[in-house]
Amino acid sequence: MPDKSTSSETATPAATETAQAPSAARKIYPIVKYGDTILEKPGAPIKKFDAEVEQLAEDMFASMYAAQGVGLAAPQIGKSLRIAVVDVTGGKNPEAKIVLANPEIIHAEGEVREEEGCLSVPGFRGYVMRPQFVTVKAQNAKGESFEIRGENLLARAFCHEIDHLNGILFLQHLSMLKRDLIKRKIKKLRKQGEW
Ligand SMILES: [Zn+2]
């Protein structure tokens, strides 16, 4: 796990330079930005695990790598579903690819305050307190249940992505002052047609 990257969704340049090129067959989705209401509503559980879900997960990995992220949740590509993908190696290690369908945090321990960013809130970062360790219960893209424990950046990524599936953005964990400052800047960018 690269400890030089402290963001849950934005990989370091070093990590992304060696990221795998997405396969030609994969669909690269544009990332939904802050302001779209889909980011603020809970996703629907995945009930049927078929080839479509597996394809969606692979397309989400491809979209995440293309955006140089280390985590991506379905609402961020405009799909209100409880599925997210995480790879804190930025595509360097195929075994680090984690699909979280219908995930739940079943255990959390410790606290770490670190800077966090989000692909849906590009250009803005803020310090967020997250558990140091979390255990997540989820299903993979085939519907098989598993439990996974994450520490530090991985724990942060799990929490950040599961928040997305519940309609929560990292902005909601910031101080009101910091949050309002970012919201004002985004409003200004939107007026200028840059958001
Ligand atoms: Zn995010």
Side-chain angles (χ1 to χ4, degrees), residues 70-137:
V70 296
L72 185 69
Q76 294 183 278
I77 56 160
K79 294 183 186 291
S80 197
L81 294 169
R82 299 187 75 79
I83 184 167
V85 296
V86 171
D87 178 357
V88 294
T89 73
K92 277 195 283 188
N93 176 8
E95 282 172 25
K97 288 169 74 179
I98 302 161
V99 176
L100 300 173
N102 304 323
E104 270 177 81
I105 293 171
I106 55 170
H107 182 74
E109 213 182 305
E111 281 184 329
V112 182
R113 192 170 175 272
E114 259 306 347
E115 216 178 21
E116 214 170 290
C118 178
L119 293 176
S120 295
V121 194
F124 297 96
R125 301 168 68 83
Y127 280 88
V128 177
M129 188 81 89
R130 298 284 191 187
Q132 186 182 0
F133 303 96
V134 293
T135 305
V136 173
K137 186 173 181 239

Short mmCIF file of all heavy atoms in Angstrom, two decimals, residues 70-137:
data_model
loop_
_atom_site.label_atom_id
_atom_site.label_comp_id
_atom_site.label_asym_id
_atom_site.label_seq_id
_atom_site.Cartn_x
_atom_site.Cartn_y
_atom_site.Cartn_z
N VAL A 70 -8.08 5.77 -7.03
CA VAL A 70 -7.83 4.50 -6.33
C VAL A 70 -9.14 3.90 -5.79
O VAL A 70 -9.13 2.85 -5.15
CB VAL A 70 -6.78 4.66 -5.19
CG1 VAL A 70 -5.44 5.05 -5.77
CG2 VAL A 70 -7.23 5.68 -4.16
N GLY A 71 -10.26 4.57 -6.09
CA GLY A 71 -11.57 4.07 -5.69
C GLY A 71 -12.63 4.73 -6.54
O GLY A 71 -12.45 5.87 -6.98
N LEU A 72 -13.70 4.00 -6.81
CA LEU A 72 -14.80 4.57 -7.61
C LEU A 72 -16.10 3.86 -7.23
O LEU A 72 -16.14 2.63 -7.16
CB LEU A 72 -14.53 4.40 -9.11
CG LEU A 72 -15.53 5.05 -10.07
CD1 LEU A 72 -15.44 6.57 -10.04
CD2 LEU A 72 -15.30 4.56 -11.50
N ALA A 73 -17.13 4.64 -6.99
CA ALA A 73 -18.44 4.08 -6.64
C ALA A 73 -19.41 4.31 -7.79
O ALA A 73 -19.30 5.32 -8.50
CB ALA A 73 -18.95 4.75 -5.36
N ALA A 74 -20.36 3.38 -7.97
CA ALA A 74 -21.28 3.44 -9.11
C ALA A 74 -22.00 4.79 -9.25
O ALA A 74 -22.14 5.28 -10.38
CB ALA A 74 -22.28 2.28 -9.04
N PRO A 75 -22.44 5.43 -8.15
CA PRO A 75 -23.11 6.74 -8.33
C PRO A 75 -22.20 7.76 -9.04
O PRO A 75 -22.70 8.66 -9.71
CB PRO A 75 -23.41 7.18 -6.89
CG PRO A 75 -23.50 5.91 -6.11
CD PRO A 75 -22.48 4.99 -6.75
N GLN A 76 -20.89 7.57 -8.93
CA GLN A 76 -19.96 8.50 -9.57
C GLN A 76 -19.90 8.34 -11.09
O GLN A 76 -19.30 9.17 -11.78
CB GLN A 76 -18.55 8.32 -9.02
CG GLN A 76 -18.42 8.70 -7.56
CD GLN A 76 -16.99 8.57 -7.09
OE1 GLN A 76 -16.54 7.49 -6.76
NE2 GLN A 76 -16.25 9.67 -7.10
N ILE A 77 -20.49 7.26 -11.60
CA ILE A 77 -20.60 7.13 -13.06
C ILE A 77 -22.07 7.17 -13.45
O ILE A 77 -22.48 6.70 -14.51
CB ILE A 77 -19.90 5.86 -13.61
CG1 ILE A 77 -20.44 4.60 -12.92
CG2 ILE A 77 -18.39 5.97 -13.45
CD1 ILE A 77 -20.18 3.32 -13.71
N GLY A 78 -22.90 7.72 -12.55
CA GLY A 78 -24.31 7.94 -12.86
C GLY A 78 -25.21 6.74 -12.65
O GLY A 78 -26.33 6.71 -13.15
N LYS A 79 -24.71 5.73 -11.91
CA LYS A 79 -25.53 4.55 -11.65
C LYS A 79 -25.79 4.44 -10.14
O LYS A 79 -24.87 4.26 -9.36
CB LYS A 79 -24.83 3.28 -12.14
CG LYS A 79 -24.69 3.26 -13.66
CD LYS A 79 -24.06 1.97 -14.13
CE LYS A 79 -23.77 2.00 -15.61
NZ LYS A 79 -24.97 1.99 -16.46
N SER A 80 -27.07 4.54 -9.77
CA SER A 80 -27.41 4.53 -8.35
C SER A 80 -27.50 3.10 -7.83
O SER A 80 -28.57 2.58 -7.52
CB SER A 80 -28.74 5.28 -8.15
OG SER A 80 -28.87 5.61 -6.79
N LEU A 81 -26.34 2.44 -7.75
CA LEU A 81 -26.25 1.04 -7.34
C LEU A 81 -25.20 0.89 -6.26
O LEU A 81 -24.22 1.64 -6.22
CB LEU A 81 -25.85 0.17 -8.53
CG LEU A 81 -26.84 0.07 -9.68
CD1 LEU A 81 -26.19 -0.59 -10.89
CD2 LEU A 81 -28.07 -0.72 -9.25
N ARG A 82 -25.39 -0.14 -5.39
CA ARG A 82 -24.45 -0.35 -4.30
C ARG A 82 -23.27 -1.22 -4.74
O ARG A 82 -23.15 -2.39 -4.36
CB ARG A 82 -25.15 -0.97 -3.08
CG ARG A 82 -26.26 -0.10 -2.54
CD ARG A 82 -26.83 -0.62 -1.26
NE ARG A 82 -25.92 -0.39 -0.14
CZ ARG A 82 -25.78 0.76 0.47
NH1 ARG A 82 -26.46 1.83 0.08
NH2 ARG A 82 -24.97 0.87 1.49
N ILE A 83 -22.44 -0.64 -5.57
CA ILE A 83 -21.22 -1.33 -5.99
C ILE A 83 -20.10 -0.30 -6.15
O ILE A 83 -20.34 0.81 -6.65
CB ILE A 83 -21.43 -2.16 -7.28
CG1 ILE A 83 -20.17 -2.96 -7.64
CG2 ILE A 83 -21.90 -1.31 -8.43
CD1 ILE A 83 -20.38 -4.03 -8.71
N ALA A 84 -18.92 -0.67 -5.67
CA ALA A 84 -17.76 0.20 -5.77
C ALA A 84 -16.54 -0.65 -6.09
O ALA A 84 -16.53 -1.86 -5.86
CB ALA A 84 -17.53 0.95 -4.45
N VAL A 85 -15.52 -0.01 -6.65
CA VAL A 85 -14.25 -0.70 -6.88
C VAL A 85 -13.14 0.09 -6.20
O VAL A 85 -13.21 1.30 -6.08
CB VAL A 85 -13.94 -0.88 -8.40
CG1 VAL A 85 -14.98 -1.78 -9.06
CG2 VAL A 85 -13.85 0.45 -9.12
N VAL A 86 -12.14 -0.65 -5.73
CA VAL A 86 -11.00 -0.04 -5.03
C VAL A 86 -9.73 -0.73 -5.51
O VAL A 86 -9.70 -1.95 -5.70
CB VAL A 86 -11.15 -0.23 -3.49
CG1 VAL A 86 -9.87 0.19 -2.77
CG2 VAL A 86 -12.35 0.55 -2.94
N ASP A 87 -8.69 0.05 -5.75
CA ASP A 87 -7.36 -0.49 -6.00
C ASP A 87 -6.36 0.58 -5.58
O ASP A 87 -6.10 1.52 -6.33
CB ASP A 87 -7.18 -0.85 -7.49
CG ASP A 87 -5.78 -1.38 -7.78
OD1 ASP A 87 -4.95 -1.41 -6.85
OD2 ASP A 87 -5.52 -1.75 -8.94
N VAL A 88 -5.83 0.42 -4.38
CA VAL A 88 -4.92 1.46 -3.88
C VAL A 88 -3.53 1.37 -4.51
O VAL A 88 -2.68 2.21 -4.25
CB VAL A 88 -4.81 1.46 -2.33
CG1 VAL A 88 -6.13 1.85 -1.69
CG2 VAL A 88 -4.32 0.13 -1.79
N THR A 89 -3.31 0.36 -5.40
CA THR A 89 -2.02 0.31 -6.10
C THR A 89 -2.12 1.03 -7.45
O THR A 89 -1.14 1.10 -8.18
CB THR A 89 -1.55 -1.15 -6.35
OG1 THR A 89 -2.35 -1.74 -7.39
CG2 THR A 89 -1.63 -1.99 -5.10
N GLY A 90 -3.29 1.54 -7.78
CA GLY A 90 -3.46 2.28 -9.03
C GLY A 90 -3.25 1.41 -10.26
O GLY A 90 -2.84 1.90 -11.30
N GLY A 91 -3.55 0.12 -10.16
CA GLY A 91 -3.46 -0.77 -11.31
C GLY A 91 -2.15 -1.53 -11.41
O GLY A 91 -1.92 -2.29 -12.34
N LYS A 92 -1.26 -1.32 -10.43
CA LYS A 92 0.06 -1.98 -10.48
C LYS A 92 -0.01 -3.46 -10.15
O LYS A 92 0.80 -4.24 -10.61
CB LYS A 92 1.03 -1.29 -9.52
CG LYS A 92 1.66 -0.06 -10.14
CD LYS A 92 2.88 0.42 -9.37
CE LYS A 92 2.50 1.15 -8.11
NZ LYS A 92 3.67 1.78 -7.46
N ASN A 93 -0.96 -3.81 -9.30
CA ASN A 93 -1.06 -5.19 -8.85
C ASN A 93 -2.49 -5.71 -9.08
O ASN A 93 -3.40 -5.30 -8.38
CB ASN A 93 -0.69 -5.25 -7.35
CG ASN A 93 -0.87 -6.64 -6.78
OD1 ASN A 93 -1.14 -7.61 -7.49
ND2 ASN A 93 -0.75 -6.74 -5.47
N PRO A 94 -2.66 -6.62 -10.07
CA PRO A 94 -4.02 -7.10 -10.38
C PRO A 94 -4.72 -7.72 -9.16
O PRO A 94 -5.95 -7.71 -9.08
CB PRO A 94 -3.79 -8.15 -11.46
CG PRO A 94 -2.41 -7.91 -11.98
CD PRO A 94 -1.63 -7.22 -10.90
N GLU A 95 -3.92 -8.24 -8.23
CA GLU A 95 -4.52 -8.87 -7.04
C GLU A 95 -5.07 -7.85 -6.05
O GLU A 95 -5.77 -8.20 -5.11
CB GLU A 95 -3.47 -9.75 -6.35
CG GLU A 95 -3.29 -11.06 -7.08
CD GLU A 95 -2.12 -11.87 -6.54
OE1 GLU A 95 -1.75 -11.68 -5.37
OE2 GLU A 95 -1.60 -12.69 -7.31
N ALA A 96 -4.73 -6.58 -6.28
CA ALA A 96 -5.20 -5.53 -5.37
C ALA A 96 -6.57 -4.97 -5.79
O ALA A 96 -7.11 -4.09 -5.15
CB ALA A 96 -4.18 -4.40 -5.30
N LYS A 97 -7.10 -5.51 -6.91
CA LYS A 97 -8.41 -5.05 -7.38
C LYS A 97 -9.51 -5.61 -6.48
O LYS A 97 -9.62 -6.83 -6.32
CB LYS A 97 -8.64 -5.52 -8.83
CG LYS A 97 -7.79 -4.77 -9.85
CD LYS A 97 -7.85 -5.45 -11.21
CE LYS A 97 -9.17 -5.21 -11.91
NZ LYS A 97 -9.20 -5.86 -13.25
N ILE A 98 -10.30 -4.74 -5.89
CA ILE A 98 -11.35 -5.17 -4.98
C ILE A 98 -12.71 -4.64 -5.46
O ILE A 98 -12.87 -3.43 -5.66
CB ILE A 98 -11.08 -4.65 -3.54
CG1 ILE A 98 -9.72 -5.14 -3.04
CG2 ILE A 98 -12.19 -5.08 -2.58
CD1 ILE A 98 -9.17 -4.34 -1.87
N VAL A 99 -13.64 -5.57 -5.65
CA VAL A 99 -15.01 -5.18 -5.98
C VAL A 99 -15.82 -5.29 -4.70
O VAL A 99 -15.78 -6.31 -4.01
CB VAL A 99 -15.62 -6.12 -7.06
CG1 VAL A 99 -17.09 -5.76 -7.31
CG2 VAL A 99 -14.82 -6.04 -8.36
N LEU A 100 -16.53 -4.24 -4.38
CA LEU A 100 -17.39 -4.24 -3.19
C LEU A 100 -18.84 -4.06 -3.62
O LEU A 100 -19.27 -2.96 -3.93
CB LEU A 100 -17.00 -3.09 -2.24
CG LEU A 100 -15.58 -3.05 -1.69
CD1 LEU A 100 -15.34 -1.75 -0.93
CD2 LEU A 100 -15.32 -4.25 -0.78
N ALA A 101 -19.57 -5.18 -3.70
CA ALA A 101 -21.00 -5.10 -4.00
C ALA A 101 -21.75 -5.26 -2.68
O ALA A 101 -21.41 -6.13 -1.86
CB ALA A 101 -21.40 -6.19 -4.98
N ASN A 102 -22.72 -4.41 -2.46
CA ASN A 102 -23.52 -4.40 -1.23
C ASN A 102 -22.64 -4.43 0.04
O ASN A 102 -22.88 -5.23 0.95
CB ASN A 102 -24.49 -5.60 -1.21
CG ASN A 102 -25.37 -5.64 -2.44
OD1 ASN A 102 -25.80 -4.60 -2.94
ND2 ASN A 102 -25.65 -6.83 -2.95
N PRO A 103 -21.62 -3.58 0.09
CA PRO A 103 -20.69 -3.65 1.24
C PRO A 103 -21.26 -3.05 2.52
O PRO A 103 -22.12 -2.17 2.47
CB PRO A 103 -19.50 -2.81 0.76
CG PRO A 103 -20.11 -1.79 -0.14
CD PRO A 103 -21.26 -2.49 -0.83
N GLU A 104 -20.74 -3.59 3.62
CA GLU A 104 -21.12 -3.09 4.95
C GLU A 104 -19.87 -3.09 5.81
O GLU A 104 -19.11 -4.06 5.78
CB GLU A 104 -22.06 -4.09 5.63
CG GLU A 104 -23.51 -3.91 5.41
CD GLU A 104 -24.24 -5.05 6.11
OE1 GLU A 104 -24.43 -4.97 7.34
OE2 GLU A 104 -24.54 -6.04 5.42
N ILE A 105 -19.70 -2.05 6.59
CA ILE A 105 -18.59 -2.04 7.55
C ILE A 105 -19.06 -2.80 8.78
O ILE A 105 -20.06 -2.43 9.40
CB ILE A 105 -18.17 -0.60 7.90
CG1 ILE A 105 -17.56 0.06 6.66
CG2 ILE A 105 -17.16 -0.59 9.06
CD1 ILE A 105 -17.31 1.54 6.81
N ILE A 106 -18.38 -3.90 9.12
CA ILE A 106 -18.82 -4.69 10.27
C ILE A 106 -17.93 -4.46 11.49
O ILE A 106 -18.28 -4.85 12.60
CB ILE A 106 -18.93 -6.20 9.93
CG1 ILE A 106 -17.62 -6.75 9.37
CG2 ILE A 106 -20.07 -6.44 8.96
CD1 ILE A 106 -17.63 -8.28 9.26
N HIS A 107 -16.77 -3.84 11.28
CA HIS A 107 -15.91 -3.53 12.42
C HIS A 107 -15.02 -2.35 12.06
O HIS A 107 -14.54 -2.25 10.94
CB HIS A 107 -15.04 -4.75 12.77
CG HIS A 107 -14.18 -4.52 13.96
ND1 HIS A 107 -14.67 -4.49 15.25
CD2 HIS A 107 -12.85 -4.27 14.06
CE1 HIS A 107 -13.68 -4.25 16.09
NE2 HIS A 107 -12.56 -4.11 15.39
N ALA A 108 -14.85 -1.45 12.99
CA ALA A 108 -13.96 -0.30 12.78
C ALA A 108 -13.17 -0.06 14.06
O ALA A 108 -13.69 -0.29 15.16
CB ALA A 108 -14.76 0.93 12.41
N GLU A 109 -11.93 0.36 13.88
CA GLU A 109 -11.05 0.52 15.03
C GLU A 109 -10.04 1.65 14.78
O GLU A 109 -9.52 1.78 13.68
CB GLU A 109 -10.26 -0.79 15.15
CG GLU A 109 -9.89 -1.22 16.53
CD GLU A 109 -9.08 -2.50 16.46
OE1 GLU A 109 -9.56 -3.49 15.86
OE2 GLU A 109 -7.95 -2.50 16.97
N GLY A 110 -9.79 2.42 15.80
CA GLY A 110 -8.78 3.47 15.71
C GLY A 110 -9.25 4.67 14.93
O GLY A 110 -10.35 4.66 14.35
N GLU A 111 -8.44 5.69 14.92
CA GLU A 111 -8.78 6.92 14.20
C GLU A 111 -7.53 7.48 13.54
O GLU A 111 -6.46 7.50 14.13
CB GLU A 111 -9.29 7.98 15.18
CG GLU A 111 -10.73 7.79 15.60
CD GLU A 111 -11.20 8.94 16.48
OE1 GLU A 111 -10.38 9.51 17.22
OE2 GLU A 111 -12.40 9.25 16.43
N VAL A 112 -7.68 7.91 12.29
CA VAL A 112 -6.58 8.56 11.58
C VAL A 112 -7.16 9.78 10.87
O VAL A 112 -8.17 9.68 10.17
CB VAL A 112 -5.92 7.64 10.51
CG1 VAL A 112 -4.76 8.35 9.84
CG2 VAL A 112 -5.44 6.33 11.13
N ARG A 113 -6.50 10.92 11.06
CA ARG A 113 -6.93 12.14 10.37
C ARG A 113 -5.95 12.38 9.24
O ARG A 113 -4.77 12.54 9.45
CB ARG A 113 -6.92 13.32 11.36
CG ARG A 113 -7.62 14.55 10.84
CD ARG A 113 -7.78 15.58 11.95
NE ARG A 113 -8.35 16.81 11.43
CZ ARG A 113 -7.62 17.81 10.92
NH1 ARG A 113 -6.31 17.74 10.91
NH2 ARG A 113 -8.22 18.89 10.45
N GLU A 114 -6.46 12.31 8.00
CA GLU A 114 -5.60 12.47 6.83
C GLU A 114 -6.34 13.29 5.77
O GLU A 114 -7.56 13.39 5.79
CB GLU A 114 -5.28 11.09 6.24
CG GLU A 114 -3.91 10.54 6.58
CD GLU A 114 -2.74 11.45 6.27
OE1 GLU A 114 -2.90 12.47 5.54
OE2 GLU A 114 -1.65 11.16 6.77
N GLU A 115 -5.56 13.79 4.83
CA GLU A 115 -6.16 14.54 3.74
C GLU A 115 -6.80 13.58 2.76
O GLU A 115 -6.27 12.50 2.49
CB GLU A 115 -5.08 15.36 3.04
CG GLU A 115 -5.60 16.70 2.59
CD GLU A 115 -4.52 17.55 1.94
OE1 GLU A 115 -3.51 17.02 1.48
OE2 GLU A 115 -4.73 18.77 1.92
N GLU A 116 -7.95 13.97 2.24
CA GLU A 116 -8.71 13.12 1.35
C GLU A 116 -9.16 13.92 0.13
O GLU A 116 -9.39 15.13 0.22
CB GLU A 116 -9.94 12.62 2.13
CG GLU A 116 -10.37 11.24 1.77
CD GLU A 116 -11.42 10.70 2.73
OE1 GLU A 116 -11.09 10.42 3.90
OE2 GLU A 116 -12.57 10.56 2.30
N GLY A 117 -9.30 13.24 -0.98
CA GLY A 117 -9.84 13.87 -2.17
C GLY A 117 -10.89 12.97 -2.77
O GLY A 117 -11.10 11.86 -2.29
N CYS A 118 -11.55 13.43 -3.82
CA CYS A 118 -12.63 12.66 -4.45
C CYS A 118 -12.68 12.99 -5.93
O CYS A 118 -12.60 14.15 -6.31
CB CYS A 118 -13.96 13.01 -3.78
SG CYS A 118 -15.38 12.16 -4.51
N LEU A 119 -12.81 11.96 -6.77
CA LEU A 119 -12.86 12.18 -8.22
C LEU A 119 -14.05 13.06 -8.60
O LEU A 119 -14.01 13.73 -9.62
CB LEU A 119 -12.94 10.84 -8.95
CG LEU A 119 -11.71 9.93 -8.87
CD1 LEU A 119 -11.98 8.60 -9.56
CD2 LEU A 119 -10.49 10.61 -9.47
N SER A 120 -15.09 13.06 -7.77
CA SER A 120 -16.28 13.87 -8.06
C SER A 120 -16.15 15.31 -7.56
O SER A 120 -17.03 16.13 -7.81
CB SER A 120 -17.53 13.23 -7.45
OG SER A 120 -17.78 11.98 -8.07
N VAL A 121 -15.07 15.57 -6.82
CA VAL A 121 -14.82 16.93 -6.33
C VAL A 121 -13.38 17.29 -6.71
O VAL A 121 -12.54 17.53 -5.84
CB VAL A 121 -15.04 17.02 -4.79
CG1 VAL A 121 -15.12 18.48 -4.34
CG2 VAL A 121 -16.30 16.27 -4.35
N PRO A 122 -13.10 17.30 -8.03
CA PRO A 122 -11.70 17.45 -8.47
C PRO A 122 -11.10 18.79 -8.05
O PRO A 122 -11.76 19.82 -8.11
CB PRO A 122 -11.78 17.33 -9.99
CG PRO A 122 -13.20 17.67 -10.34
CD PRO A 122 -14.02 17.20 -9.18
N GLY A 123 -9.85 18.72 -7.60
CA GLY A 123 -9.14 19.95 -7.26
C GLY A 123 -9.27 20.38 -5.81
O GLY A 123 -8.67 21.35 -5.39
N PHE A 124 -10.09 19.66 -5.05
CA PHE A 124 -10.29 20.03 -3.64
C PHE A 124 -9.95 18.86 -2.73
O PHE A 124 -10.26 17.72 -3.04
CB PHE A 124 -11.74 20.47 -3.41
CG PHE A 124 -12.10 21.71 -4.18
CD1 PHE A 124 -12.74 21.61 -5.41
CD2 PHE A 124 -11.75 22.97 -3.71
CE1 PHE A 124 -13.06 22.75 -6.15
CE2 PHE A 124 -12.06 24.11 -4.43
CZ PHE A 124 -12.72 24.00 -5.66
N ARG A 125 -9.33 19.18 -1.61
CA ARG A 125 -8.97 18.17 -0.63
C ARG A 125 -9.26 18.69 0.77
O ARG A 125 -9.35 19.89 0.97
CB ARG A 125 -7.48 17.83 -0.74
CG ARG A 125 -7.09 17.32 -2.12
CD ARG A 125 -5.59 17.27 -2.30
NE ARG A 125 -4.99 16.24 -1.45
CZ ARG A 125 -4.94 14.96 -1.77
NH1 ARG A 125 -5.46 14.54 -2.89
NH2 ARG A 125 -4.37 14.09 -0.97
N GLY A 126 -9.38 17.77 1.70
CA GLY A 126 -9.61 18.21 3.07
C GLY A 126 -9.30 17.08 4.03
O GLY A 126 -9.29 15.91 3.65
N TYR A 127 -9.03 17.45 5.27
CA TYR A 127 -8.70 16.45 6.29
C TYR A 127 -9.97 15.80 6.84
O TYR A 127 -10.91 16.49 7.21
CB TYR A 127 -7.89 17.08 7.43
CG TYR A 127 -6.44 17.24 7.05
CD1 TYR A 127 -5.99 18.38 6.40
CD2 TYR A 127 -5.54 16.20 7.31
CE1 TYR A 127 -4.65 18.50 6.02
CE2 TYR A 127 -4.21 16.32 6.94
CZ TYR A 127 -3.77 17.46 6.30
OH TYR A 127 -2.46 17.56 5.92
N VAL A 128 -9.96 14.47 6.83
CA VAL A 128 -11.11 13.71 7.30
C VAL A 128 -10.63 12.64 8.29
O VAL A 128 -9.65 11.94 8.04
CB VAL A 128 -11.85 13.01 6.13
CG1 VAL A 128 -13.02 12.17 6.64
CG2 VAL A 128 -12.34 14.04 5.11
N MET A 129 -11.33 12.54 9.40
CA MET A 129 -11.04 11.49 10.38
C MET A 129 -11.72 10.21 9.91
O MET A 129 -12.91 10.19 9.62
CB MET A 129 -11.61 11.91 11.74
CG MET A 129 -11.19 11.00 12.85
SD MET A 129 -9.54 11.38 13.45
CE MET A 129 -9.92 12.60 14.70
N ARG A 130 -10.93 9.14 9.82
CA ARG A 130 -11.46 7.83 9.43
C ARG A 130 -10.90 6.78 10.37
O ARG A 130 -9.85 7.00 10.98
CB ARG A 130 -11.01 7.47 8.00
CG ARG A 130 -11.47 8.40 6.89
CD ARG A 130 -12.92 8.18 6.53
NE ARG A 130 -13.27 8.88 5.30
CZ ARG A 130 -14.51 8.97 4.83
NH1 ARG A 130 -15.53 8.41 5.49
NH2 ARG A 130 -14.76 9.60 3.70
N PRO A 131 -11.53 5.61 10.46
CA PRO A 131 -10.94 4.54 11.28
C PRO A 131 -9.60 4.09 10.69
O PRO A 131 -9.41 4.15 9.48
CB PRO A 131 -11.96 3.40 11.18
CG PRO A 131 -13.20 4.01 10.64
CD PRO A 131 -12.80 5.21 9.84
N GLN A 132 -8.70 3.64 11.57
CA GLN A 132 -7.42 3.13 11.08
C GLN A 132 -7.58 1.75 10.44
O GLN A 132 -6.93 1.42 9.46
CB GLN A 132 -6.40 3.06 12.22
CG GLN A 132 -5.02 2.67 11.71
CD GLN A 132 -3.99 2.55 12.83
OE1 GLN A 132 -4.30 2.76 13.99
NE2 GLN A 132 -2.77 2.22 12.47
N PHE A 133 -8.47 0.96 11.04
CA PHE A 133 -8.76 -0.39 10.52
C PHE A 133 -10.26 -0.53 10.32
O PHE A 133 -11.02 -0.11 11.19
CB PHE A 133 -8.36 -1.47 11.54
CG PHE A 133 -6.93 -1.44 11.96
CD1 PHE A 133 -6.54 -0.79 13.12
CD2 PHE A 133 -5.94 -2.08 11.20
CE1 PHE A 133 -5.21 -0.76 13.52
CE2 PHE A 133 -4.62 -2.05 11.60
CZ PHE A 133 -4.24 -1.40 12.76
N VAL A 134 -10.66 -1.13 9.23
CA VAL A 134 -12.06 -1.51 9.09
C VAL A 134 -12.15 -2.91 8.52
O VAL A 134 -11.29 -3.34 7.74
CB VAL A 134 -12.90 -0.57 8.18
CG1 VAL A 134 -13.07 0.81 8.77
CG2 VAL A 134 -12.37 -0.50 6.78
N THR A 135 -13.19 -3.62 8.91
CA THR A 135 -13.50 -4.90 8.28
C THR A 135 -14.81 -4.69 7.53
O THR A 135 -15.78 -4.19 8.09
CB THR A 135 -13.63 -6.02 9.32
OG1 THR A 135 -12.44 -6.06 10.09
CG2 THR A 135 -13.85 -7.37 8.66
N VAL A 136 -14.77 -5.06 6.25
CA VAL A 136 -15.94 -4.88 5.39
C VAL A 136 -16.44 -6.25 4.96
O VAL A 136 -15.66 -7.14 4.63
CB VAL A 136 -15.56 -4.05 4.14
CG1 VAL A 136 -16.71 -3.99 3.14
CG2 VAL A 136 -15.14 -2.64 4.54
N LYS A 137 -17.76 -6.39 4.99
CA LYS A 137 -18.40 -7.60 4.47
C LYS A 137 -19.06 -7.17 3.16
O LYS A 137 -19.75 -6.14 3.13
CB LYS A 137 -19.45 -8.08 5.47
CG LYS A 137 -20.08 -9.39 5.11
CD LYS A 137 -20.99 -9.90 6.22
CE LYS A 137 -21.56 -11.23 5.79
NZ LYS A 137 -23.01 -11.22 5.74
#
